[in-house]
């Protein structure tokens, strides 16, 4: 019984983390899947969200900036606004870059940010990070505190899914896809490509900040390595590509699937003898890479393909050969 | 709605001393010409004469190094492409620029201006207004597809169209705007002869029935002779001469521009059939 309860708690934790990664993958899907913006600095936006919310909501501490004691929802909103503002600033400078150059620029900015977080000890407590971050429902009895967090995360994912799916199917989603497919033609069709790309970059950045804030409150602890390229940026990219770039359901599914693989390999490697365990930690990255290879061999466009929807099923006209009868 | 062709109104487009340099190369060299409203004007010239560069500048894809562009009497020099689009300058591309992973119908529906659904707040908060405009846009796109004879392909992804069909789609994108000046960059290149005849008819109909002012860059002399009363000949970035196909093809300088210069392949620019077709 105890063991079952343990498994239950583990599953709740796993799904909560998967849900948080789904928020990140949905954010990246707006940028890459919809609009074709190659953001290789996911970890940077994630870290901004995590740190802003952590600093604003934590109790006062001599080790880092804080003591504002704001409620968690306010911290999360501030995290989204801060990430959005940073995305706007980066967008103003970098958004004209071609996709591979945008990737290098965003990767560099995220790395700079990580080093700032590590070295501005007065604000962030450096490499030792910020601990005792408040968590929603933490005064509720176990396991309902964990379940409450899971439901909160899933509710957020659901709301985001509905909003983003509606956006994707709208003329907004169409013009973003047009920019992704052919920038020059979109310009020649009168679209303000720069403004629209920045818009997608900001919206995606805000969701990454949201994901970071949720992670900080869920784990209750945050340190600069959360912005590390492998565990943050790379993993979210793998999630989106495996799930199906351009497809919101794919982003959510990919996040939960890859997070499960990533965590399951952690369980396996910790059971190995200690001299193997350290080596095996690197094997995890290899395994995720291998999973990516296998899945992409079978599903080159990801498990859920991007679906176009403007088909004649919704047509207002009968086909032309019927039209003589009707008019 | 159709304007009378050959009207004596002020020109819709006036280009004065237009210059564009790429490093040491002067692609367009103090080039001046005008385009009359309601007519189909052809621009010809050997490869490297600066035809496409001029289109790129007039459509706002490239800023000029010097010179002035007046559109409907207003100075629009250096305006970006999306601003010029809303003023009514619409261009097509020599190499089709389709939105590959959008359907043919969506390719057309992307173009019209004033779509409230292209902003997120209306999408989330005012879906009624978005849906209303979307119906209008769809209706217009469907009419355009019928005109282009692409109706059967409306749900295909644009990337899967043939080269000729993509050329028709280029024309369709221009039709989805409210064009006051349409720039067609080699609409006939790579199009099979049967489709070329169809394409020529479509362009003529757009000029006659909808009063579009059209400028065509083209290498196919038969095609351009059958469409245009007035032809502007460019060479080395400037206007060499202009006139009807009959006068232009007799001009010794034109023949020289095509055959001379050394680097150009010596091909017969004006097949014998051209004279007859005008």
């Amino acid at each position: 019984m105890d063991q079952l309860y343990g498994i239950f708690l583990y599953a709740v934790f796993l799904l909560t983390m998967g849900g948080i990664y789904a928020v990140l993958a949905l954010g990246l899907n707006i940028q890459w899947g919809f609009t074709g913006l190659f953001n290789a600095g996911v970890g940077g936006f994630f870290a901004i969200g995590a740190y802003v919310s952590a600093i604003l909501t934590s109790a006062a501490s001599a080790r880092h900036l804080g003591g504002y004691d704001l409620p968690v929802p306010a911290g999360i909103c501030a995290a989204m606004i801060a990430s959005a503002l940073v995305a706007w600033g980066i967008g103003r400078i970098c958004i004209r870059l071609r996709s591979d150059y945008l990737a290098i620029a965003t990767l560099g900015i995220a790395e700079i940010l990580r080093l700032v977080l590590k070295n501005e000890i007065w604000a962030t407590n450096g490499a030792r990070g910020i601990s005792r971050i408040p968590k929603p429902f933490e005064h509720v009895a176990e396991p309902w505190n964990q379940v409450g967090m899971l439901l909160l995360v899933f509710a957020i994912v659901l709301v985001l899914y509905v909003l983003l799916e509606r956006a994707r199917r709208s003329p907004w989603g169409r013009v973003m896809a047009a920019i992704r497919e052919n920038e020059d033609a979109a310009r020649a069709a009168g679209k303000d490509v720069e403004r629209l790309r920045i818009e997608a970059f900001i919206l995606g950045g805000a969701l990454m900040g949201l994901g970071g804030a949720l992670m900080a409150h869920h784990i209750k602890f945050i340190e600069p390595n959360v912005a590390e390229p492998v565990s943050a940026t790379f993993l979210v990219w793998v999630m989106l590509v495996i799930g199906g770039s351009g497809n919101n359901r794919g982003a959510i599914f990919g996040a939960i699937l890859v997070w499960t693989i990533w965590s399951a390999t952690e369980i396996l490697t910790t059971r190995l003898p200690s001299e193997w365990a350290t080596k095996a930690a690197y094997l995890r990255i290899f395994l995720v890479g291998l999973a990516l290879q296998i899945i992409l061999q079978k599903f080159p466009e990801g498990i859920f393909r991007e679906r176009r929807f403007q088909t004649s099923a919704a047509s207002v006209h009968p086909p032309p050969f019927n039209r003589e009868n009707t008019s | 709605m159709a304007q009378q062709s050959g009207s004596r109104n002020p020109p819709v487009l006036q280009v004065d001393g237009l210059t564009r340099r790429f490093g040491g190369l002067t692609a367009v060299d103090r080039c001046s010409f005008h385009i009359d409203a309601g007519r189909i004007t052809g621009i010809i010239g050997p490869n490297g004469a600066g035809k496409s560069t001029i289109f790129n500048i007039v459509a706002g894809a490239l800023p000029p190094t010097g010179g002035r562009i007046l559109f409907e009497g207003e100075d629009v020099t250096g305006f970006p492409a999306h601003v010029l689009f809303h003023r009514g300058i619409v261009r097509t591309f020599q190499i089709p620029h389709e939105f590959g992973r959008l359907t043919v119908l969506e390719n057309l529906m992307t173009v019209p201006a004033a779509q409230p659904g292209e902003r997120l707040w209306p999408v989330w908060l005012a879906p009624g207004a978005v849906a209303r405009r979307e119906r209008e846009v769809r209706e217009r796109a469907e009419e355009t597809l019928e005109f282009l004879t692409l109706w059967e392909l409306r749900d295909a992804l644009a990337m899967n169209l043939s080269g000729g069909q993509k050329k028709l789609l280029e024309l369709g994108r221009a039709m989805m705007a409210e064009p006051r000046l349409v720039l067609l960059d080699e609409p006939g290149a790579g199009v099979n002869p049967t489709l070329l005849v169809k394409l020529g008819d479509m362009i003529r109909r757009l000029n006659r029935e909808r009063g579009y002012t059209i400028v065509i860059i083209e290498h196919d002399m038969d095609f351009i002779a059958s469409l245009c009363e007035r032809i502007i000949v460019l060479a080395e970035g400037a206007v060499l001469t202009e006139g009807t196909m009959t006068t232009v093809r007799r001009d010794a300088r034109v023949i020289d521009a095509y055959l001379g210069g050394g680097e150009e392949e010596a091909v017969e620019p004006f097949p014998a059939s051209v004279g007859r077709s005008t």
Side-chain angles (χ1 to χ4, degrees):
Chain A
M1 200 61 210
D2 267 2
Q3 206 179 351
L4 271 180
Y5 183 63
I7 291 171
F8 169 73
L9 276 187
Y10 180 75
V12 168
F13 186 83
L14 186 93
L15 284 174
T16 309
M17 289 294 284
I20 293 171
Y21 271 105
V23 173
L24 296 169
L26 284 171
L28 184 61
N29 194 31
I30 297 170
Q31 296 178 344
W32 172 249
F34 295 0
T35 320
L37 300 171
F38 199 145
N39 179 3
V42 178
F45 294 100
F46 175 88
I48 291 164
Y51 271 89
V52 165
S53 198
I55 287 171
L56 289 178
T57 58
S58 297
S61 159
R63 294 172 187 278
H64 59 80
L65 205 61
Y68 304 102
D69 271 328
L70 289 182
V72 171
I76 291 176
C77 288
M80 290 178 72
I81 292 168
S83 308
L85 283 176
V86 172
W88 175 75
I90 295 173
R92 287 297 300 273
I93 303 164
C94 301
I95 211 74
R96 281 182 187 79
L97 297 177
R98 238 180 46 205
S99 63
D100 36 359
Y101 293 96
L102 182 65
I104 292 172
T106 47
L107 181 66
I109 290 166
E111 280 298 278
I112 291 168
L113 187 77
R114 185 165 70 91
L115 294 174
V116 169
L117 292 173
K118 210 169 201 163
N119 291 298
E120 296 300 317
I121 296 171
W122 61 274
T124 64
N125 198 22
R128 269 170 290 168
I130 297 177
S131 52
R132 293 206 296 278
I133 301 168
K135 181 173 183 174
F137 311 111
E138 64 186 331
H139 302 300
V140 183
E142 180 124 336
W144 303 114
N145 54 353
Q146 304 288 352
V147 174
M149 186 70 195
L150 175 69
L151 292 178
L152 175 68
V153 168
F154 269 42
I156 290 172
V157 171
L158 186 70
V159 168
L160 290 178
Y161 172 76
V162 170
L163 288 177
L164 292 179
E165 194 57 20
R166 189 180 276 186
R168 189 182 74 86
R169 289 164 178 274
S170 73
W172 183 87
R174 184 168 67 215
V175 75
M176 290 300 174
I179 290 170
R180 179 193 71 198
E181 294 298 311
N182 197 319
E183 237 182 278
D184 290 333
R187 266 193 204 97
K191 309 306 175 193
D192 190 345
V193 171
E194 268 69 44
R195 188 186 67 74
L196 290 163
R197 292 180 79 179
I198 288 180
E199 194 176 305
F201 200 63
I202 289 175
L203 189 61
L207 290 202
M208 291 168 192
L210 171 63
L214 289 173
M215 186 81 82
H217 292 294
H218 178 51
I219 314 251
K220 295 178 66 59
F221 169 72
I222 206 81
E223 48 108 9
N225 278 337
V226 295
E228 208 235 339
V230 169
S231 63
T233 305
F234 168 71
L235 209 55
V236 177
W237 267 97
V238 172
M239 288 165 174
L240 181 62
V241 169
I242 284 185
S245 159
N247 186 311
N248 288 316
R249 254 179 272 180
I252 295 169
F253 178 80
I256 291 171
L257 177 74
V258 172
W259 181 252
T260 307
I261 296 174
W262 184 252
S263 314
T265 52
E266 189 174 29
I267 300 175
L268 291 179
T269 52
T270 48
R271 299 224 166 150
L272 291 170
S274 59
E275 69 267 32
W276 284 78
T278 43
K279 288 181 194 164
Y282 293 96
L283 204 67
R284 289 171 72 197
I285 298 172
F286 169 76
L287 278 175
V288 170
L290 190 70
L292 182 67
Q293 282 298 324
I294 293 169
I295 290 172
L296 289 187
Q297 289 293 329
K298 208 161 155 49
F299 306 98
E301 292 174 86
I303 295 171
F304 291 81
R305 278 198 4 229
E306 183 187 359
R307 294 225 175 277
R308 297 317 304 178
F309 32 80
Q310 226 101 50
T311 58
S312 51
S315 171
V316 294
H317 277 328
F321 36 86
N322 289 340
R323 197 172 279 184
E324 291 130 295
N325 307 334
T326 53
S327 60
Chain B
M1 129 138 223
Q3 286 166 267
Q4 281 304 304
S5 67
S7 60
R8 288 282 154 255
N9 295 331
V12 63
L13 183 77
Q14 177 82 47
V15 172
D16 279 328
L18 196 67
T19 300
R20 170 73 204 195
R21 291 188 201 92
F22 296 102
L25 175 83
T26 305
V28 181
D29 191 6
R30 284 161 295 169
C31 182
S32 301
F33 62 90
H34 71 274
I35 301 296
D36 291 320
R39 299 174 78 176
I40 307 178
T41 308
I43 296 184
I44 63 170
N47 290 329
K51 304 181 297 291
S52 286
T53 309
I54 288 172
F55 262 26
N56 280 331
I57 296 169
V58 172
L62 265 182
T65 315
R68 230 159 52 111
I69 300 166
L70 297 178
F71 177 61
E72 297 187 323
E74 259 186 280
D75 191 335
V76 297
T77 317
F79 283 27
H82 69 267
V83 173
L84 290 173
F85 173 91
H86 294 292
R87 297 258 177 146
I89 301 182
V90 176
R91 62 90 59 91
T92 67
F93 294 90
Q94 187 177 339
I95 300 157
H97 275 40
E98 76 283 1
F99 304 124
R101 283 181 290 165
L102 264 59
T103 67
V104 170
L105 184 66
E106 285 178 306
N107 264 263
L108 296 183
M109 290 179 71
T110 306
V111 176
Q115 297 199 44
E118 285 182 1
R119 291 183 172 264
L120 280 174
W121 298 121
V123 166
W124 288 330
L125 303 175
V130 171
R132 227 171 300 130
R133 176 73 176 127
E134 189 72 347
R135 256 194 308 279
E136 290 168 15
V137 169
R138 172 188 284 273
E139 203 153 333
R140 175 127 181 226
E142 289 179 339
E143 281 165 20
T144 306
L145 284 178
E146 283 178 49
F147 179 90
L148 297 170
T149 63
L150 288 176
W151 173 261
E152 307 297 325
L153 291 162
R154 62 198 178 277
D155 294 337
L157 294 185
M159 61 191 279
N160 296 329
L161 297 186
S162 73
Q165 290 162 344
K166 285 180 184 173
K167 286 286 194 179
L168 291 177
L169 190 59
E170 283 284 310
L171 188 63
R173 281 215 316 271
M175 291 170 62
M176 288 299 290
E178 316 273 346
R180 316 220 14 107
L181 173 65
V182 182
L183 309 172
L184 303 176
D185 195 349
E186 296 197 28
V191 171
N192 73 56
T194 319
L195 186 56
L196 196 62
V197 173
K198 238 169 76 177
L199 190 69
D201 287 340
M202 286 176 187
I203 293 171
R204 248 188 306 270
R205 274 183 63 193
L206 290 177
N207 171 247
R208 253 200 328 260
E209 294 169 15
R210 304 199 185 188
Y212 286 7
T213 303
I214 298 174
V215 185
I216 305 180
I217 292 177
E218 194 46 75
H219 279 299
D220 186 319
M221 296 301 160
D222 284 337
F223 185 62
I224 208 153
S226 72
L227 284 172
C228 312
E229 301 157 53
R230 176 169 167 258
I231 288 157
I232 300 171
V233 186
L234 295 181
E236 291 169 11
V239 174
L240 190 63
T241 182
E242 61 159 271
T244 63
M245 185 51 110
T246 331
T247 53
V248 155
R249 68 177 284 267
R250 287 207 199 96
D251 195 316
R253 291 170 303 168
V254 176
I255 296 168
D256 212 42
Y258 270 90
L259 300 183
E263 286 118 37
E264 284 293 330
E265 252 178 281
V267 283
E268 172 57 62
F270 303 110
S273 64
V274 171
R276 273 180 269 124
S277 65
T278 44

